[in-house]
Amino acid sequence: MGILSGNPKNEPMHYGEIFSVWETSMMAKGMVSCYEAYMSHAGDKDLKKMLKDLLDQAKLEIKECDELLTDNGIAPAPGLPERPPAKLEDIPVGARFTDPEIAAKIAADTSLGLVSCSKTMGMSIREDVGALFAKYHLTKTALGVRILQMNKEKGWLIPPPLQIKRPEEK
């Protein structure tokens, strides 16, 4: 079979795989920067726990994706500077993100992350790359369920228009 046989880690990555891994690392680095700021803005303890779990996942993705890129001779995206912590009381009310705003943003980010993982899994010809993104997809699915449950419990979920009364069938 040639170049695409044997241990997948010895196979070359194609440009789509390279870009997807690089993009995932860059997006995770942006999430770490953003979610660290959200930690200073959040007041709800459940939201803070969710942000911590999302930060842990983003840091894991950065580590694993950057290692994969480096092992394949590709320079990873540079990291962003670490944010200093701030106290919620020190952030002016007009400049503060509210808990429902933060919760909506992390829900949207997690949803987009699922789509990105699915795209990468579908395009991968290296089994290890596809499996890595399947792992991320599974984790993001579990986090997304927890975010949805939290948003419902806290009354933060703004549903799209609901079909309460269905048209009668003819």
Side-chain angles (χ1 to χ4, degrees):
M1 284 181 40
I3 197 167
L4 297 179
S5 61
N7 184 347
K9 293 181 179 185
N10 296 332
E11 296 173 3
M13 292 173 67
H14 66 70
Y15 290 111
E17 290 169 326
I18 293 167
F19 181 74
S20 290
V21 173
W22 188 93
E23 178 183 48
T24 298
S25 171
M26 189 65 228
M27 292 299 293
K29 289 170 184 171
M31 288 173 70
V32 168
S33 178
C34 186
Y35 291 5
E36 283 175 348
Y38 285 165
M39 286 293 281
S40 297
H41 289 248
D44 184 88
K45 69 176 177 56
D46 295 328
L47 180 58
K48 283 183 170 266
K49 169 73 171 109
M50 183 62 61
L51 285 166
K52 184 191 177 315
D53 292 346
L54 290 165
L55 279 163
D56 290 344
Q57 178 60 26
K59 289 174 183 177
L60 175 69
E61 290 176 18
I62 292 165
K63 178 183 173 292
E64 292 178 343
C65 288
D66 284 359
E67 281 178 11
L68 183 57
L69 291 168
T70 302
D71 290 348
N72 284 275
I74 309 296
L80 298 170
E82 195 170 320
R83 289 183 179 271
K87 292 182 182 172
L88 179 63
E89 308 81 44
D90 294 339
I91 304 169
V93 175
R96 187 182 310 159
F97 287 106
T98 65
D99 290 347
E101 288 173 315
I102 295 168
K105 178 66 170 125
I106 64 174
D109 286 349
T110 303
S111 176
L112 290 171
L114 286 168
V115 173
S116 180
C117 287
S118 294
K119 174 199 69 142
T120 304
M121 288 170 11
M123 74 152 61
S124 293
I125 60 174
R126 273 185 47 166
E127 293 90 344
D128 61 325
V129 174
L132 181 65
F133 280 83
K135 179 180 83 165
Y136 295 161
H137 193 280
L138 186 61
T139 302
K140 289 177 189 304
T141 300
L143 289 166
V145 169
R146 287 179 47 213
I147 293 167
L148 176 61
Q149 290 169 338
M150 178 186 69
N151 282 337
K152 284 181 171 182
E153 289 169 7
K154 306 280 182 186
W156 296 338
L157 181 69
I158 302 170
L162 303 174
Q163 185 180 15
I164 305 294
K165 185 176 178 181
R166 294 180 178 221
E168 293 180 27
E169 289 187 29
K170 295 181 184 184

